[in-house]
């Protein structure tokens, strides 16, 4: 079995662990934070130790490409977050915010 057989390469920036919706970036991120394979398994219990080890091994064998992959994902996520922040809130969010502000003002008026 090849290491690549453990993964589904859906897109150059979307590599998943075969049979899961979990991306290899999730495992790699925990690994880079210093988690052991057993600790990663505690965080991602639908995986098994073999798949965690395969992901780490794949990362270590393809470190430059995987670091670039992780950087692209981080940038993409940051762009989506900034777009979300800049977006006009929905009418529901506006209404909730107005109710919250009104309640806070009422509380302040009582003091």
């Amino acid at each position: 079995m090849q290491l690549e057989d453990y993964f589904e390469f859906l897109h150059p920036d979307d590599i998943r662990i075969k049979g899961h919706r979990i991306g290899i970036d999730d495992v790699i991120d925990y690994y880079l934070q210093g988690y052991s394979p057993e600790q990663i398994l505690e965080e991602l219990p639908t995986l098994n130790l073999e798949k965690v080890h395969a992901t780490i091994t794949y990362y270590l064998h393809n470190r430059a490409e995987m670091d670039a992959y992780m950087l692209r994902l981080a940038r993409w996520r940051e762009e989506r977050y900034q777009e979300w922040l800049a977006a006009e809130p929905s009418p529901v969010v506006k209404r909730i915010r107005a109710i919250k502000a009104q309640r806070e003002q009422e509380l302040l008026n009582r003091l």
Side-chain angles (χ1 to χ4, degrees), residues 30-86:
Y30 282 121
Y31 174 73
L32 293 174
Q33 290 179 49
Y35 284 62
S36 70
E38 292 77 15
Q39 290 170 319
I40 294 170
L41 195 55
E42 288 176 17
E43 298 297 322
L44 303 169
T46 60
L47 298 179
N48 61 40
L49 207 49
E50 178 182 359
K51 290 179 180 181
V52 171
H53 280 288
T55 304
I56 293 168
T57 302
Y58 184 79
Y59 169 74
L60 293 173
H61 284 212
N62 301 282
R63 192 171 211 148
E65 294 88 356
M66 289 295 95
D67 285 343
Y69 172 81
M70 297 293 287
L71 183 59
R72 285 192 309 272
L73 283 179
R75 286 180 178 159
W76 180 83
R77 288 176 178 145
E78 180 62 25
E79 287 172 7
R80 299 296 81 71
Y81 176 69
Q82 293 302 323
E83 287 172 6
W84 175 78
L85 286 177

